[in-house]
Amino acid sequence: MGALQPIWVVIIFTIVILKPISGFASTLEVDYYHQTCPQVESIVSETVRNATVHDPKVPARILRMFFHDCFIRGCDASVLLDSTRSNKAEKDGPPNISLRSFYVIDDAKSKLEAVCPRTVSCSDVLAIAARDVVTLSGGPYWEVLKGRKDGKISKASDTRDLPAPTFNATTLIQSFAKRGLSIKDLVALSGGHTLGFSHCSSFEGRIRNFSLTKDVDPSMDQWFAEKLRTNCHKPNKERNAGEFLDFTSAVFDNDYYGRLVRGQGVFVSDQDLYSDYRTRWMVEAFWRDQSLFFREFKDSMVRLGRVGVKGDDDGEVRIKCRVVN
């Protein structure tokens, strides 16, 4: 039976992939800008590469930015809009205050406006950049579907719908399902944490006063819990104290899943993927086979990139990503 397990893993994943997707836009195309702006991918890629050379934190920040954008109003670049006197935008909502590197998208967009004015949407720029930071970090490459329009609405209050680090597997599955994403998408996209970092405040509840009878979350490896407690002093005077979500945080690989298997997930939302029977086998499969993880991550990123896509009726191509036209 053990020798047959990888075959069944492939079969089950295939079934999940072929399941009909509801609520997805069908107007996106790989060659959407083939005639109007053939330089789009090279311009975005060069901009991302140059930014990463000067700041190695850029890949993790851009990938997180893409997730947070798509999970609110769909992939419409609403997370890029600045707040105004009359409106507090998504980027200033509590979960997004720590988002950084918006300048990378601004820079790429400015270069595109110089050669292809009013043509390439900010949401497409962000989608391409998210792919590029994964590839630059050693992860897989995929063809990005394009043709999104930029949203005109961005509200900080909507950020309460973002999946939180305290969510368990059931809550995460429900959150992803609302966006038309499967359990497989949840586990594969969570692998994006291979480039992630968390401040102590996001997991403090797991390492101190966890419950009336347990000071530390019993699902956490004891050595790892002590490491986190050492890094996160009480009171904590170090503003940037925290923990990487992957021991190889600068490289896009499958080490994240190995940490979950060893009880070293940082968030409840991470570790519960291994605790829950519906997701545990996928975590193990991705840990055993990095190429399988890469294939499923690519597929899930394409699916995520189609969530809530705007068309001409409810979107626009912004000239500047921080403001509506």
Side-chain angles (χ1 to χ4, degrees):
M1 180 64 70
L4 293 177
Q5 189 172 7
I7 297 176
W8 284 109
V9 167
V10 173
I11 292 174
I12 293 172
F13 272 126
T14 302
I15 293 172
V16 173
I17 292 170
L18 294 179
K19 183 179 178 181
I21 304 170
S22 60
F24 284 67
S26 58
T27 57
L28 302 182
E29 303 171 11
V30 170
D31 297 325
Y32 186 82
Y33 297 110
H34 179 67
Q35 297 293 334
T36 57
C37 192
Q39 314 98 310
V40 57
E41 297 227 13
S42 60
I43 289 174
V44 175
S45 297
E46 181 182 9
T47 304
V48 170
R49 187 180 302 107
N50 290 340
T52 301
V53 168
H54 291 93
D55 183 359
K57 296 179 182 178
V58 163
R61 290 170 171 174
I62 296 296
L63 187 57
R64 182 169 178 245
M65 189 187 300
F66 180 66
F67 287 162
H68 282 220
D69 181 49
C70 294
F71 260 79
I72 300 299
R73 293 180 171 271
C75 306
D76 67 347
S78 54
V79 75
L80 304 180
L81 288 171
D82 284 342
S83 295
T84 64
R85 288 185 178 181
S86 60
N87 179 65
K88 189 176 182 180
E90 287 174 30
K91 64 168 60 173
D92 292 320
N96 285 344
I97 291 176
S98 58
L99 288 180
R100 297 289 186 273
S101 298
F102 292 102
Y103 72 90
V104 179
I105 307 302
D106 291 336
D107 189 19
K109 175 61 173 174
S110 177
K111 292 174 181 176
L112 287 167
E113 282 299 309
V115 296
C116 313
R118 299 174 180 263
T119 302
V120 181
S121 66
C122 298
S123 45
D124 279 345
V125 173
L126 181 54
I128 296 168
R131 187 273 313 280
D132 289 340
V133 296
V134 169
T135 305
L136 280 171
S137 303
Y141 176 91
W142 63 94
E143 296 285 0
V144 175
L145 297 173
K146 309 169 196 72
R148 300 167 186 80
K149 294 298 186 290
D150 299 323
K152 304 175 184 179
I153 300 173
S154 182
K155 295 184 178 297
S157 57
D158 289 341
T159 60
R160 62 175 176 266
D161 293 329
L162 284 168
T166 56
F167 278 12
N168 59 26
T170 296
T171 313
L172 287 170
I173 290 170
Q174 293 170 347
S175 177
F176 273 64
K178 289 179 181 177
R179 282 103 180 152
L181 298 171
S182 69
I183 297 177
K184 187 276 292 186
D185 295 322
L186 161 63
V187 182
L189 292 173
S190 294
H193 281 175
T194 182
L195 300 178
F197 174 86
S198 172
H199 292 97
C200 297
S201 58
S202 294
F203 55 83
E204 178 69 31
R206 297 190 70 204
I207 58 175
R208 291 187 178 88
N209 302 315
F210 177 73
S211 68
L212 294 176
T213 58
K214 301 284 186 181
D215 193 33
V216 175
D217 184 343
S219 69
M220 183 177 286
D221 173 76
Q222 184 176 357
W223 168 85
F224 188 61
E226 286 303 316
K227 178 179 184 293
L228 295 184
R229 287 165 67 93
T230 300
N231 291 347
C232 300
H233 301 287
K234 265 298 198 185
N236 187 5
K237 297 181 180 180
E238 297 183 40
R239 181 180 178 184
N240 295 319
E243 176 66 20
F244 289 104
L245 308 184
D246 182 322
F247 288 125
T248 56
S249 59
V251 180
F252 193 96
D253 57 19
N254 66 340
D255 183 67
Y256 162 81
Y257 297 104
R259 286 183 67 154
L260 304 190
V261 171
R262 295 189 294 270
Q264 296 172 1
V266 175
F267 300 142
V268 170
S269 59
D270 290 325
Q271 195 57 53
D272 211 50
L273 295 180
Y274 189 66
S275 301
D276 193 284
Y277 73 95
R278 292 167 292 182
T279 51
R280 180 174 184 147
W281 68 272
M282 297 186 204
V283 170
E284 292 175 336
F286 290 156
W287 172 228
R288 288 194 304 266
D289 187 347
Q290 179 168 280
S291 62
L292 176 65
F293 163 49
F294 279 11
R295 290 196 301 272
E296 300 306 332
F297 183 82
K298 289 192 300 181
D299 173 78
S300 294
M301 282 293 283
V302 172
R303 290 164 62 89
L304 174 63
R306 297 176 64 189
V307 172
V309 169
K310 304 290 187 294
D312 291 326
D313 293 339
D314 53 355
E316 64 182 7
V317 174
R318 286 187 220 138
I319 299 172
K320 294 185 178 180
C321 293
R322 292 176 178 265
V323 295
V324 296
N325 293 343

